[in-house]
Structure formats: structure tokens, C-alpha cells
Amino acid sequence: MSNKLKLAILIFIALLLLILAIFIPYKSRLSNLDFYISESNNNYQFEVGEKLFFLLNDTTLVNGRDVVWHLGNGDSIVKAGNINYKYPKKGKYLVSIAVNNKFIASKKIGVVSLPKISPRDSLVKIHGVDEGYAGEELVFFTEGKGVNTWYWEFGETGTVDAYEKQVIYRYTKPGDYRVKLQTNTLKYPIYHYIRILPRFEKVEELEKVDSLGVVQNDIKKRLQAIADSKVTDRSTFYKNLNYIKNNYTCNQAEDILVIVNGGRYNDFFSYCQGLHYLENKRRSKIIINKVEIDTIKCFKRLNVTQSLLR
């Protein structure tokens, strides 16, 4: 064998080893490529029209490569890095990232559509039960933009009884009462009418009366179970959703207003769906810190305080 032939063989082997050294490690590293999804308004659900962020776990893995993001609704974005996108319609979508025409990672995402708040919803309104019992703790609260002063008169004392946005009042005598509220945004006061019934002190009936705190903790536990369940675990989702609906809403869950962390308004079903479909659960966890309802029987308002652990 001539020296030239030996040299050619050595050069070929060296080039082959160089190619293997470059591409085999890259292929191995590319298998570690992943992405997660983050939402912009921090209310723990993906919504129609909300800017969502699709973030790679390591952008260096795609440098110099052909990268296409497929959003699952026919749209795609060509970019070798992080992207953001707004979904125009609600639905369930399979988001995928392809590198060099090969699909590397995919995730399912649920996008919900929240009810639009009309100008009527911005008016000051009193929320409270229409009927209660003497001695029972009754919750009253109000909503309205720009309100920072509240003057509550519950019609029993003849004077102002409370000065907060949400109050608990206990009537001492049965009767029909007119609840009066004046705020800094109202020219004239608004009213709410309530009938207070006598409380019958029967032991067997009192044993059945649950405290507000027990009910709130029960709802909190059910919401936490929904938040902890996997996206594919529809059984746990419906079990706890229907439990709350059947036991505490008088089967009128569609009329319930959910206020998240004091500032975000949802309907009950959209809120529960958002808890269940929150993406990136392996990197974050929703903690239901506190739940408040306006009344034990057929509540219409659910105030949730929650946090996101990453």
C-alpha cells in the first residue's frame, strides 16, 4: 500500500470521526429540548386574546437550526427561540416545536373564553341574601369601580352600621328590612331588601346547620383537588366540580361570580377549567390559600385567594 493511499485513508477516518463528534452529541442534546408556557395576566389560566409566552428550556440547543413552532390551530411561527402568541378562539390545542423538520416536543393547551364585563357590571351593586334568620351571620358586599368609601345601614339601628366593602351583620329581631348603601361614587344611595325569619331553637335542626367556615374550607379542599389533578384526569375534575355545584350552589353555578385575588372576575365554570388546564404543572403549583362565600345556602359569590409556586 502506497503512502498516498495510507494518507488518504487516515484523512477519511479523521473526517468521519469529526462528523460523528459534531452530530451525535448534538442529536443527544437535542433530545433534552423542551418548552413551557406562561401567561401574561397572572390569573392562572390561558384566555382568548391573552399574550402567551412559549419559552424554551435551553435556547442554545436550537442556535443555527431551522425551528418552526406549530400552534395547533393552523398557525405557525418560524423562529429559533422563544415566541409569544394570542389565540383568537377558545379550544384545546397541541403546540409542537420542530427542529430541522423533525418534531421534538409537544404539549396540550386549553384556551378558555371569559365572559365580557359590560358597562352595567361596573355599576355599584349590593350582593346579599334575600332571606335569613335572626341571629344568623349574613354577608353583604358591593362591587363597583372607583369605590373607596362605604356607608352601610341595615335598617335595624337607624344609624350607619359599617364602613367596609364586605361586612357581616347579624339581625336581632325578625322582620322586613331595607339595607341602605351610600358610596363616594353614588349621587343617591342604593337599597337591598331582606326578610329576617325567627330562629327556631330545635336541637335536631341546629345540628344540621353548618358553619360558614366549614363550608368555605370544604370548597377550598375541592378547588385544591381540581388544581392538583392532571390535565388528563377528567374524573377528578368533574367529581369535585359537581360536588360544589350540587351541595352549595342550588344547581345555579352558572350565576356564580368568582373574584380571584381581589381583582379578577370569572364565572365559576371558567375558573375551575382554568385551574384544571393550567399548563406547566410540573414547574408550578397553584395553592388555594383562602375561600370566602357570601352565604352557606345557594352562594352567588366566591372570593378566592390563591398563589402560584414555581
Side-chain angles (χ1 to χ4, degrees):
M1 183 181 296
S2 66
N3 291 334
K4 290 184 178 180
L5 182 59
K6 289 180 180 180
L7 181 60
I9 293 174
L10 291 175
I11 293 175
F12 174 77
I13 294 174
L15 289 174
L16 181 61
L17 292 175
L18 180 61
I19 292 172
L20 292 176
I22 293 174
F23 288 99
I24 290 180
Y26 172 76
K27 183 177 180 182
S28 176
R29 291 174 59 232
L30 198 58
S31 64
N32 297 324
L33 182 66
D34 199 0
F35 67 91
Y36 62 96
I37 306 169
S38 177
E39 40 100 28
S40 57
N41 61 16
N42 296 319
N43 72 333
Y44 318 111
Q45 61 187 353
F46 303 133
E47 304 166 20
V48 171
E50 177 187 9
K51 181 185 286 187
L52 304 181
F53 301 95
F54 300 81
L55 308 172
L56 293 170
N57 63 326
D58 187 352
T59 56
T60 62
L61 296 178
V62 297
N63 286 345
R65 305 291 168 178
D66 294 328
V67 179
V68 181
W69 293 84
H70 299 275
L71 284 309
N73 61 349
D75 288 351
S76 59
I77 298 176
V78 179
K79 184 179 180 182
N82 302 327
I83 65 169
N84 60 74
Y85 183 77
K86 296 180 181 180
Y87 280 91
K89 296 181 181 180
K90 68 176 182 178
K92 299 176 184 178
Y93 304 102
L94 180 66
V95 181
S96 303
I97 182 172
V99 181
N100 293 342
N101 295 321
K102 293 183 179 180
F103 286 100
I104 302 299
S106 299
K107 291 183 183 297
K108 291 181 179 179
I109 179 175
V111 178
V112 300
S113 178
L114 297 183
K116 295 182 179 179
I117 299 178
S118 66
R120 181 178 179 86
D121 295 324
S122 64
L123 300 176
V124 178
K125 295 182 289 187
I126 296 176
H127 293 271
V129 295
D130 300 322
E131 190 174 87
Y133 291 93
E136 180 184 6
E137 289 188 344
L138 303 174
V139 180
F140 299 85
F141 70 97
T142 182
E143 299 169 42
K145 293 182 178 180
V147 180
N148 53 39
T149 305
W150 302 267
Y151 299 94
W152 294 90
E153 296 181 33
F154 293 99
E156 190 175 34
T157 64
T159 61
V160 176
D161 300 292
Y163 302 89
E164 298 176 345
K165 179 179 180 180
Q166 176 174 302
V167 295
I168 298 176
Y169 189 80
R170 181 182 294 159
Y171 285 93
T172 60
K173 297 179 180 179
D176 293 325
Y177 294 94
R178 185 180 71 169
V179 180
K180 177 182 176 181
L181 174 66
Q182 180 68 59
T183 74
N184 60 295
T185 61
L186 293 172
K187 183 176 181 180
Y188 303 104
I190 56 175
Y191 301 95
H192 175 80
Y193 295 89
I194 184 171
R195 171 165 292 181
I196 300 301
L197 305 174
R199 184 106 178 223
F200 296 100
E201 298 294 335
K202 293 183 179 180
V203 176
E204 61 271 22
E205 289 182 359
L206 291 177
E207 288 178 348
K208 297 179 182 178
V209 177
D210 203 353
S211 71
L212 187 65
V214 171
V215 173
Q216 291 176 155
N217 286 333
D218 191 26
I219 295 173
K220 173 185 173 184
K221 181 178 69 174
R222 301 290 172 173
L223 293 178
Q224 189 66 63
I226 291 175
D228 292 340
S229 63
K230 296 181 179 179
V231 173
T232 55
D233 188 1
R234 303 295 291 169
S235 175
T236 299
F237 171 72
Y238 282 115
K239 175 184 176 182
N240 289 280
L241 175 70
N242 290 329
Y243 177 89
I244 297 174
K245 182 180 72 172
N246 296 334
N247 286 278
Y248 301 123
T249 72
C250 299
N251 291 317
Q252 297 177 340
E254 65 276 2
D255 297 328
I256 293 174
L257 175 69
V258 182
I259 301 175
V260 181
N261 291 340
R264 185 70 186 183
Y265 296 77
N266 291 355
D267 68 89
F268 180 70
F269 291 111
S270 293
Y271 171 71
C272 290
Q273 191 176 42
L275 283 181
H276 182 62
Y277 278 111
L278 178 70
E279 191 60 41
N280 192 29
K281 286 188 175 180
R282 63 197 179 111
R283 293 185 177 86
S284 62
K285 176 181 176 66
I286 293 180
I287 302 298
I288 307 297
N289 304 115
K290 187 178 181 181
V291 166
E292 296 176 319
I293 56 176
D294 52 351
T295 182
I296 294 176
K297 182 180 179 182
C298 306
F299 73 88
K300 296 294 184 184
R301 173 184 177 264
L302 179 65
N303 195 342
V304 182
T305 302
Q306 61 190 38
S307 56
L308 184 65
L309 298 181
R310 297 187 183 276

